[in-house]
PDB file of all heavy atoms in Angstrom:
ATOM      1  N   PHE A 166      13.652 -16.113  21.454  1.00  0.00           N
ATOM      2  CA  PHE A 166      14.517 -15.219  22.205  1.00  0.00           C
ATOM      3  C   PHE A 166      15.900 -15.144  21.558  1.00  0.00           C
ATOM      4  O   PHE A 166      16.282 -16.026  20.770  1.00  0.00           O
ATOM      5  CB  PHE A 166      14.651 -15.701  23.651  1.00  0.00           C
ATOM      6  CG  PHE A 166      13.596 -15.147  24.573  1.00  0.00           C
ATOM      7  CD1 PHE A 166      12.329 -15.702  24.607  1.00  0.00           C
ATOM      8  CD2 PHE A 166      13.879 -14.068  25.400  1.00  0.00           C
ATOM      9  CE1 PHE A 166      11.357 -15.198  25.450  1.00  0.00           C
ATOM     10  CE2 PHE A 166      12.918 -13.555  26.247  1.00  0.00           C
ATOM     11  CZ  PHE A 166      11.648 -14.109  26.272  1.00  0.00           C
ATOM     12  N   PRO A 167      16.682 -14.121  21.890  1.00  0.00           N
ATOM     13  CA  PRO A 167      18.057 -14.055  21.373  1.00  0.00           C
ATOM     14  C   PRO A 167      18.896 -15.239  21.858  1.00  0.00           C
ATOM     15  O   PRO A 167      18.651 -15.794  22.938  1.00  0.00           O
ATOM     16  CB  PRO A 167      18.588 -12.734  21.960  1.00  0.00           C
ATOM     17  CG  PRO A 167      17.374 -11.933  22.302  1.00  0.00           C
ATOM     18  CD  PRO A 167      16.324 -12.930  22.693  1.00  0.00           C
ATOM     19  N   ASN A 168      19.854 -15.622  21.046  1.00  0.00           N
ATOM     20  CA  ASN A 168      20.872 -16.605  21.426  1.00  0.00           C
ATOM     21  C   ASN A 168      20.305 -18.011  21.642  1.00  0.00           C
ATOM     22  O   ASN A 168      20.856 -18.781  22.426  1.00  0.00           O
ATOM     23  CB  ASN A 168      21.611 -16.147  22.685  1.00  0.00           C
ATOM     24  CG  ASN A 168      23.057 -16.619  22.696  1.00  0.00           C
ATOM     25  OD1 ASN A 168      23.661 -16.778  21.654  1.00  0.00           O
ATOM     26  ND2 ASN A 168      23.603 -16.850  23.886  1.00  0.00           N
ATOM     27  N   VAL A 169      19.205 -18.330  20.944  1.00  0.00           N
ATOM     28  CA  VAL A 169      18.657 -19.685  21.071  1.00  0.00           C
ATOM     29  C   VAL A 169      19.062 -20.567  19.889  1.00  0.00           C
ATOM     30  O   VAL A 169      18.740 -21.759  19.873  1.00  0.00           O
ATOM     31  CB  VAL A 169      17.114 -19.667  21.201  1.00  0.00           C
ATOM     32  CG1 VAL A 169      16.702 -18.992  22.492  1.00  0.00           C
ATOM     33  CG2 VAL A 169      16.459 -19.011  19.988  1.00  0.00           C
ATOM     34  N   GLY A 170      19.755 -20.010  18.887  1.00  0.00           N
ATOM     35  CA  GLY A 170      20.250 -20.819  17.783  1.00  0.00           C
ATOM     36  C   GLY A 170      19.517 -20.631  16.469  1.00  0.00           C
ATOM     37  O   GLY A 170      19.639 -21.475  15.573  1.00  0.00           O
ATOM     38  N   LYS A 171      18.771 -19.529  16.312  1.00  0.00           N
ATOM     39  CA  LYS A 171      18.020 -19.320  15.055  1.00  0.00           C
ATOM     40  C   LYS A 171      18.973 -19.152  13.871  1.00  0.00           C
ATOM     41  O   LYS A 171      18.756 -19.733  12.806  1.00  0.00           O
ATOM     42  CB  LYS A 171      17.106 -18.094  15.183  1.00  0.00           C
ATOM     43  CG  LYS A 171      16.050 -18.214  16.277  1.00  0.00           C
ATOM     44  CD  LYS A 171      15.046 -17.080  16.228  1.00  0.00           C
ATOM     45  CE  LYS A 171      15.686 -15.708  16.446  1.00  0.00           C
ATOM     46  NZ  LYS A 171      16.319 -15.598  17.777  1.00  0.00           N
ATOM     47  N   SER A 172      20.026 -18.352  14.039  1.00  0.00           N
ATOM     48  CA  SER A 172      20.966 -18.129  12.934  1.00  0.00           C
ATOM     49  C   SER A 172      21.719 -19.406  12.578  1.00  0.00           C
ATOM     50  O   SER A 172      21.988 -19.680  11.403  1.00  0.00           O
ATOM     51  CB  SER A 172      21.951 -17.019  13.303  1.00  0.00           C
ATOM     52  OG  SER A 172      21.285 -15.781  13.479  1.00  0.00           O
ATOM     53  N   THR A 173      22.059 -20.185  13.577  1.00  0.00           N
ATOM     54  CA  THR A 173      22.725 -21.460  13.319  1.00  0.00           C
ATOM     55  C   THR A 173      21.829 -22.387  12.523  1.00  0.00           C
ATOM     56  O   THR A 173      22.259 -23.038  11.559  1.00  0.00           O
ATOM     57  CB  THR A 173      23.134 -22.140  14.647  1.00  0.00           C
ATOM     58  OG1 THR A 173      23.966 -21.259  15.392  1.00  0.00           O
ATOM     59  CG2 THR A 173      23.867 -23.445  14.386  1.00  0.00           C
ATOM     60  N   LEU A 174      20.542 -22.446  12.896  1.00  0.00           N
ATOM     61  CA  LEU A 174      19.578 -23.269  12.175  1.00  0.00           C
ATOM     62  C   LEU A 174      19.462 -22.812  10.720  1.00  0.00           C
ATOM     63  O   LEU A 174      19.481 -23.632   9.797  1.00  0.00           O
ATOM     64  CB  LEU A 174      18.217 -23.204  12.871  1.00  0.00           C
ATOM     65  CG  LEU A 174      17.041 -23.900  12.176  1.00  0.00           C
ATOM     66  CD1 LEU A 174      17.358 -25.374  11.927  1.00  0.00           C
ATOM     67  CD2 LEU A 174      15.776 -23.763  13.008  1.00  0.00           C
ATOM     68  N   LEU A 175      19.379 -21.494  10.513  1.00  0.00           N
ATOM     69  CA  LEU A 175      19.278 -20.957   9.154  1.00  0.00           C
ATOM     70  C   LEU A 175      20.502 -21.339   8.333  1.00  0.00           C
ATOM     71  O   LEU A 175      20.385 -21.748   7.166  1.00  0.00           O
ATOM     72  CB  LEU A 175      19.139 -19.436   9.202  1.00  0.00           C
ATOM     73  CG  LEU A 175      19.013 -18.723   7.855  1.00  0.00           C
ATOM     74  CD1 LEU A 175      17.648 -18.966   7.239  1.00  0.00           C
ATOM     75  CD2 LEU A 175      19.242 -17.211   8.006  1.00  0.00           C
ATOM     76  N   SER A 176      21.691 -21.244   8.924  1.00  0.00           N
ATOM     77  CA  SER A 176      22.924 -21.538   8.188  1.00  0.00           C
ATOM     78  C   SER A 176      23.058 -23.017   7.848  1.00  0.00           C
ATOM     79  O   SER A 176      23.704 -23.375   6.861  1.00  0.00           O
ATOM     80  CB  SER A 176      24.137 -21.088   9.011  1.00  0.00           C
ATOM     81  OG  SER A 176      24.300 -21.897  10.165  1.00  0.00           O
ATOM     82  N   MET A 177      22.437 -23.894   8.639  1.00  0.00           N
ATOM     83  CA  MET A 177      22.561 -25.332   8.426  1.00  0.00           C
ATOM     84  C   MET A 177      21.629 -25.847   7.332  1.00  0.00           C
ATOM     85  O   MET A 177      21.926 -26.864   6.689  1.00  0.00           O
ATOM     86  CB  MET A 177      22.287 -26.089   9.729  1.00  0.00           C
ATOM     87  CG  MET A 177      23.318 -25.832  10.812  1.00  0.00           C
ATOM     88  SD  MET A 177      24.979 -26.416  10.374  1.00  0.00           S
ATOM     89  CE  MET A 177      24.766 -28.183  10.547  1.00  0.00           C
TER      90      MET A 177
END
Side-chain angles (χ1 to χ4, degrees):
F166 271 80
N168 212 30
V169 295
K171 299 189 298 298
S172 296
T173 303
L174 174 56
L175 180 73
S176 69
M177 294 296 286

